[in-house]
Amino acid sequence: MKKRLFAAMMAMAMTASLLTGCGGGSSNGNQAASQTGGETDAAKKDETKGTASSDEEITLRMSWWGGDERNEATLQVIEQFEAAHPNVTIEAEYGGNDGYHDKLATQLASGTAPDIVQVDPEIFPTYVATGDYFLDYKDYGIDLSNFEEAYIGIPINGNYDGKQLGLPTGISGAGIMVNKDLADAIGLDFSKTYSWEDLITMGKKVREYDDSMYLLCANKEYIVNLVVFNYAKQLIGATVFDPETKTLNMTEDQLKEIFGYVKRLYDEEVVPPASYQAAYSGDNLQSDTNWIGGKYVAALTYISTIDVMVAANPEAEYVMSELPILDGASEAGWASNTPQVFAITSTCEHPEMAAEFMDYFFNDDQALAALGATRSVPPTEKARKICTENGSLTQVTMEGANIAAAMGGTPNDKISSSEESKTILFDSVETIGYGASSVEDVTKDAISLLSGLGQ
């Protein structure tokens, strides 16, 4: 409902801008060029080449949302850049997230948007589909070599039809954190590529070593989000639902295989019993007394929860594991995405200078040190290394982010990520874990319920 309302609001804003002549002259010029075949984007770029190093007085507007720490860090980077470019003034427009995107939608449609804008990646596709509002970073010489190509090359991180219309400000994703001391004692190697089947084998070794221990600290929510979804994408070679047709990509036999694997996790005691997990549901794994007591070899995590899990049992030495891949998989499954993207708007009168500032923002050592982790874990390995060295990011979190960024899997589709879909899958996994119904029956019920979500 919220997404449909937002799309309708965008359409209304565009209609209003057309009725009023689309605002300022810059917007009218762009519209006229596109309608008459006059001034092309390439011609505009030719006109602006060289302005980044000229003495012309240039003013850029930059907008973002965030808290005090983020605001102060971003303002510091702006001051650094302005000190090195005395002819440049960057006007900061910042505040809270409430109403930010409603205002930005109106500004984009009327041609009055700031030159550089921070955007929610979930909303960015609506802007991209509605109008030609953003410039391609690749056309303006920004150094993208510090980004993992697999990371910035997907739409959720700003890449659309080969154009880099946005750049990710941070990284989030999944991980498996390993108690290295315990893994070494048992003889388990998480540093190389392994399969889902290998996890079963590892789990058996752990129980043989000490029957009070388990391989994985997990609960039904983590099993769905990090096992079911990623196993599914690897098995079917696509997301669970087709994002275009809204139909289920997964057959009943495929879901039966996935649920069969979940049953083995419980039956082979790779994870603790469902009855035990129930006391530590949701994002509460750090409270698991067996985790605190060092009774797990590894934990399913997100990059954002790594440090929380370490703090719950700080005595161990931790490393981040590679992520399991199904034999023969054509889709990596595991995906990482950003909490925000930064884009340069097409109405920017000095795109070369805006790109130069973005190049500084994402690549300069001094800027990266100032920004730290104020927009989550930094999006490049270079930035993460700087943050690790200055203490604003832990080594183990950096390792997790590096692994997640390199995987290059496809993010979950919107339907399977919905609350309705996850509730169906949570209930299915819980039923399997308690042994309350057969895998066959759970699969039939889940397929019936999931199939109705896309209609």
Side-chain angles (χ1 to χ4, degrees):
M1 178 67 71
K2 183 177 179 182
K3 295 285 177 61
R4 289 196 296 270
L5 182 62
F6 180 81
M9 185 272 298
M10 279 291 292
M12 290 172 63
M14 288 185 67
T15 301
S17 70
L18 289 171
L19 291 174
T20 58
C22 292
S26 175
S27 179
N28 286 333
N30 288 340
Q31 187 181 31
S34 63
Q35 291 175 345
T36 64
E39 184 184 21
T40 64
D41 288 342
K44 285 180 66 181
K45 287 198 286 278
D46 286 341
E47 287 182 8
T48 58
K49 283 186 185 296
T51 61
S53 58
S54 74
D55 293 329
E56 176 189 0
E57 291 295 325
I58 292 174
T59 297
L60 299 172
R61 294 164 57 210
M62 178 181 181
S63 68
W64 73 89
W65 72 88
D68 291 343
E69 186 180 12
R70 177 185 297 176
N71 296 339
E72 291 170 6
T74 308
L75 290 171
Q76 184 178 342
V77 172
I78 289 174
E79 290 173 2
Q80 293 170 1
F81 187 81
E82 288 177 336
H85 301 78
N87 62 311
V88 177
T89 299
I90 300 177
E91 296 179 347
E93 302 176 12
Y94 57 92
N97 193 24
D98 289 346
Y100 178 93
H101 286 91
D102 292 345
K103 178 181 178 181
L104 180 57
T106 301
Q107 291 175 321
L108 288 170
S110 63
T112 60
D115 303 292
I116 301 167
V117 292
Q118 179 178 289
V119 188
D120 185 321
E122 297 289 345
I123 295 176
F124 198 68
T126 302
Y127 294 145
V128 173
T130 308
D132 187 16
Y133 295 130
F134 307 109
L135 300 179
D136 185 354
Y137 278 105
K138 294 178 181 178
D139 290 339
Y140 290 89
I142 185 171
D143 181 9
L144 302 178
S145 63
N146 287 314
F147 288 93
E148 287 279 356
E149 186 174 348
Y151 182 60
I152 64 169
I154 57 178
I156 197 70
N157 292 327
N159 190 292
Y160 294 84
D161 296 326
K163 295 180 179 180
Q164 200 67 49
L165 303 180
L167 286 177
T169 63
I171 181 171
S172 61
I176 297 178
M177 187 172 71
V178 177
N179 180 330
K180 188 176 185 302
D181 299 331
L182 194 51
D184 288 347
I186 301 172
L188 304 178
D189 184 4
F190 287 86
S191 64
K192 59 185 180 182
T193 301
Y194 58 91
S195 67
W196 295 100
E197 186 64 31
D198 290 331
L199 281 179
I200 302 289
T201 302
M202 291 180 187
K204 292 178 180 179
K205 287 185 178 181
V206 172
R207 298 296 286 173
E208 291 169 0
Y209 176 82
D210 186 336
D211 63 8
S212 71
M213 294 181 174
Y214 296 92
L215 179 72
L216 291 176
C217 179
N219 57 28
K220 66 180 181 182
E221 289 88 357
Y222 276 73
I223 289 173
V224 168
N225 290 324
L226 303 191
V227 176
V228 171
F229 281 133
N230 292 307
Y231 192 113
K233 286 186 286 184
Q234 292 174 12
L235 177 63
I236 65 182
T239 52
V240 174
F241 283 85
D242 187 295
E244 299 298 327
T245 65
K246 314 299 183 187
T247 56
L248 194 62
N249 277 331
M250 184 169 51
T251 67
E252 185 173 326
D253 283 343
Q254 288 171 328
L255 184 57
K256 180 180 176 182
E257 177 179 336
I258 297 162
F259 281 165
Y261 182 80
V262 170
K263 179 174 170 55
R264 291 180 66 200
L265 291 178
Y266 286 109
D267 290 351
E268 303 286 352
E269 300 177 323
V270 179
V271 298
S275 57
Y276 178 85
Q277 293 177 346
Y280 309 105
S281 60
D283 290 320
N284 200 28
L285 293 184
Q286 71 275 6
S287 300
D288 188 329
T289 54
N290 278 338
W291 174 259
I292 296 170
K295 293 294 186 178
Y296 293 104
V297 176
L300 298 179
T301 65
Y302 298 101
I303 294 172
S304 60
T305 62
I306 291 172
D307 289 342
V308 174
M309 294 298 286
V310 170
N313 179 17
E315 302 303 320
E317 177 187 357
Y318 296 103
V319 296
M320 294 306 295
S321 166
E322 293 295 318
L323 298 169
I325 295 290
L326 191 68
D327 290 337
S330 60
E331 162 64 52
W334 303 91
S336 54
N337 62 290
T338 181
Q340 312 98 20
V341 296
F342 261 119
I344 300 174
T345 56
S346 56
T347 51
C348 177
E349 295 183 357
H350 302 282
E352 294 286 343
M353 184 57 74
E356 186 170 337
F357 174 69
M358 284 285 92
D359 190 80
Y360 181 84
F361 186 92
F362 283 105
N363 293 313
D364 184 85
D365 289 8
Q366 188 179 13
L368 297 177
L371 292 169
T374 58
R375 285 180 171 82
S376 81
V377 178
T380 66
E381 186 172 0
K382 175 183 178 180
R384 293 192 289 272
K385 182 177 180 181
I386 290 172
C387 289
T388 302
E389 290 172 350
N390 67 23
S392 60
L393 187 70
T394 64
Q395 178 69 31
V396 68
T397 297
M398 182 183 77
E399 290 176 5
N402 289 347
I403 291 171
M407 286 301 293
T410 303
N412 294 337
D413 61 274
K414 302 302 182 189
I415 299 176
S416 64
S417 298
S418 69
E419 183 178 350
E420 295 87 349
S421 170
K422 288 190 176 183
T423 297
I424 293 166
L425 294 171
F426 291 156
D427 290 346
S428 298
V429 166
E430 186 172 51
T431 301
I432 293 169
Y434 278 100
S437 186
S438 68
V439 168
E440 290 77 9
D441 288 344
V442 173
T443 301
K444 288 182 182 297
D445 290 343
I447 283 289
S448 177
L449 293 169
L450 290 170
S451 297
L453 294 182
Q455 298 176 358

